[in-house]
Amino acid sequence: MNEIKNIVQKDAFAKFLGIKILSIGEGTATAEMTITKDHLNGACTAHGGAIFSLGDTVFGAASNTREGLAMAINVSISFFKAITEGKLTAVAEEISLHKKLATYIVRIFDDKSKIIALFQGTVYRKEYKEGFDR
Amino acid sequence: MNEIKNIVQKDAFAKFLGIKILSIGEGTATAEMTITKDHLNGACTAHGGAIFSLGDTVFGAASNTREGLAMAINVSISFFKAITEGKLTAVAEEISLHKKLATYIVRIFDDKSKIIALFQGTVYRKEYKEGFDR
Amino acid sequence: MNEIKNIVQKDAFAKFLGIKILSIGEGTATAEMTITKDHLNGACTAHGGAIFSLGDTVFGAASNTREGLAMAINVSISFFKAITEGKLTAVAEEISLHKKLATYIVRIFDDKSKIIALFQGTVYRKEYKEGFDR
Amino acid sequence: MNEIKNIVQKDAFAKFLGIKILSIGEGTATAEMTITKDHLNGACTAHGGAIFSLGDTVFGAASNTREGLAMAINVSISFFKAITEGKLTAVAEEISLHKKLATYIVRIFDDKSKIIALFQGTVYRKEYKEGFDR
């Protein structure tokens, strides 16, 4: 887990967006992000990219609690509600874990604990030594 | 189109990430983003959230060239290659256009014009006056 | 619910594939399908289309427990395990319900209750009188 | 290619649904299916599972023109239009090809050549000898 926490702590993009990892467990992770004016799109609601990034960060943290380096290969996200302010919380759950492939659900909630987006992602896991090319 | 360009120009998150819209047409849009250290994840490659955000920005721009306010309801993205530096370009193409629903493909390329991610997104379109709730 | 059960009972394709609805509740449904040789692909495992169809059937049943006619607009499915025989069970869960749009997760299990596929689907709901065009 | 055509010809489920492969090339395939009453759902339109199955069949054929056995791991499909009759045609296009992972788009058309569904799928490729477990 130390290596994982290191990967998470070195995540410059998560920091840039103000994402804070709250907890990491075996196949799970929770993070939060308070919406600022930097996160808004032209319609003055939180940009889909900002919401996805929060989800992707817990997905990456949760999937990297397992052996090897997990890289996202597919993600589907459904957006339920436009959000203009407040704190978002994302929770990752491991649905399937195989040696090479694993799939996670991430639920994203607003500050009233209402689900605002659902994220389903699959990682491909490889040995650290292999490098990043698939 | 003026209203659209206004929405795109007011996109604070796109600006925050350094995304530049290169062109907008009927149902299409192109944008670029040069990877900086702020875009990197803990494995020192461009964060999935940064790549998604580039795609989401041209998806939003292309879908908002049509009548009404288009809101993303579903997106699927496949990542093909980890990227550490250079300029990414995203191109949106309209696949299906109905009054309420429309679907777009976004192809994202690295600076050698190799496709690094594929993004398929659907918007739900509503009248401006209706407000954002679905 | 009577109208719904009628829609489900009239589902010729579900019957053709041997899918049996076990239960339908508010926003939920469960069904099963025993794999036969008609469901196999050229690699002698259950065809992705057969597994998807089982998931799509409970998705349709669950989403049509609500007001109006629900039509699938987007589905993402992840396959975890190749299956060659036995009974599959699919369970739909409602994640988000709005007037026009709703999203469901379907978990598909093999006969040892191991999850073999995860299905995330969104419907667009319209009045019966509107007809099918979006 | 002989081995591939063999896999395609042995596809019992495709036969069961009346799917005919029209052509297979390097990373591509085309097939058609005429809608019969067996394909209809309770709303008397072609079942999403039938449309998906047509798409999945060309996806499987196209991806198996490459080395090794390709298994679908993720698919996203968007449905644009309810169809009640006629011949559907599906065309697969290879978007990305790596040793282990490859991604395809499948466009599905009605008998007026109007696109009625878009399908984006990723396969994981393994050696024949490895068996099916991931």
Side-chain angles (χ1 to χ4, degrees), chain B residues 76-78 80-81 93 95-98 102-105 107 114-115 118-120 122, chain D residues 76-78 80-81 93 95-98 102-105 107 114-115 118-120 122:
Chain B
S76 292
I77 186 165
S78 298
F80 306 138
K81 197 168 176 287
E93 177 192 351
I95 300 296
S96 171
L97 177 64
H98 285 81
T103 296
Y104 298 80
I105 283 178
R107 290 172 177 80
K114 190 172 165 64
I115 190 163
L118 179 69
F119 175 120
Q120 172 178 340
T122 298
Chain D
S76 293
I77 186 166
S78 299
F80 305 139
K81 197 167 176 288
E93 176 192 353
I95 300 296
S96 171
L97 177 65
H98 286 83
T103 296
Y104 299 79
I105 283 178
R107 289 172 177 82
K114 190 172 166 64
I115 190 163
L118 179 69
F119 174 121
Q120 171 177 342
T122 297

Side-chain angles (χ1 to χ4, degrees), chain C:
Chain C
M1 296 284 287
N2 285 344
E3 197 166 4
I4 301 324
K5 284 187 176 148
N6 198 24
I7 280 187
V8 171
Q9 273 160 13
K10 280 168 48 195
D11 189 330
F13 187 66
K15 238 174 251 172
F16 186 58
L17 262 57
I19 296 169
K20 284 177 207 154
I21 296 277
L22 301 182
S23 65
I24 301 181
E26 302 263 312
T28 182
T30 304
E32 62 179 33
M33 178 179 78
T34 297
I35 296 168
T36 69
K37 59 178 176 37
D38 288 334
H39 298 132
L40 302 183
N41 60 23
C44 294
T45 65
H47 197 289
I51 296 168
F52 179 95
S53 297
L54 174 61
D56 200 43
T57 298
V58 291
F59 170 47
S63 58
N64 276 303
T65 58
R66 305 304 188 179
E67 198 82 19
L69 180 62
M71 293 175 308
I73 53 174
N74 277 286
V75 178
S76 292
I77 187 166
S78 298
F79 298 102
F80 305 139
K81 196 167 176 290
I83 296 292
T84 56
E85 56 176 6
K87 191 166 70 183
L88 301 181
T89 306
V91 183
E93 176 193 353
E94 193 167 71
I95 300 296
S96 170
L97 176 65
H98 285 83
K99 213 176 103 187
K100 290 306 216 176
L101 298 165
T103 295
Y104 298 80
I105 283 179
V106 179
R107 289 173 177 81
I108 304 175
F109 302 96
D110 67 10
D111 53 12
K112 281 162 189 133
S113 300
K114 191 172 164 63
I115 191 163
I116 62 135
L118 179 70
F119 174 120
Q120 171 177 342
T122 297
V123 292
Y124 175 63
R125 210 178 293 282
K126 48 195 319 185
E127 310 304 319
Y128 275 99
K129 61 183 176 184
E130 285 184 54
F132 294 110
D133 193 55
R134 282 136 229 210

Side-chain angles (χ1 to χ4, degrees), chain B:
Chain B
M1 297 284 286
N2 284 345
E3 197 164 5
I4 301 322
K5 283 185 178 149
N6 198 23
I7 279 186
V8 170
Q9 273 160 12
K10 279 168 48 195
D11 189 331
F13 187 66
K15 236 174 253 174
F16 186 57
L17 263 57
I19 296 169
K20 284 178 208 156
I21 295 278
L22 301 182
S23 66
I24 300 180
E26 302 262 311
T28 183
T30 304
E32 62 180 32
M33 178 179 78
T34 297
I35 296 169
T36 69
K37 61 178 175 36
D38 288 334
H39 297 133
L40 301 182
N41 60 24
C44 295
T45 65
H47 197 289
I51 295 169
F52 179 95
S53 297
L54 174 62
D56 200 44
T57 299
V58 292
F59 170 46
S63 59
N64 276 303
T65 59
R66 305 305 188 178
E67 198 81 20
L69 180 63
M71 292 175 308
I73 53 174
N74 278 285
V75 178
S76 292
I77 186 165
S78 298
F79 298 101
F80 306 138
K81 197 168 176 287
I83 295 293
T84 55
E85 57 175 5
K87 192 167 69 183
L88 301 181
T89 306
V91 183
E93 177 192 351
E94 193 167 72
I95 300 296
S96 171
L97 177 64
H98 285 81
K99 213 176 101 186
K100 288 307 214 176
L101 298 165
T103 296
Y104 298 80
I105 283 178
V106 178
R107 290 172 177 80
I108 304 174
F109 303 96
D110 67 10
D111 53 13
K112 281 166 187 128
S113 300
K114 190 172 165 64
I115 190 163
I116 62 135
L118 179 69
F119 175 120
Q120 172 178 340
T122 298
V123 291
Y124 176 63
R125 209 177 294 283
K126 49 194 319 183
E127 311 304 320
Y128 275 100
K129 60 182 176 186
E130 284 184 55
F132 295 111
D133 193 55
R134 279 141 230 199

Side-chain angles (χ1 to χ4, degrees), chain D residues 27-46:
Chain D
T28 182
T30 304
E32 63 180 31
M33 178 180 77
T34 297
I35 297 169
T36 69
K37 60 179 176 39
D38 288 335
H39 298 132
L40 302 184
N41 60 23
C44 295
T45 65

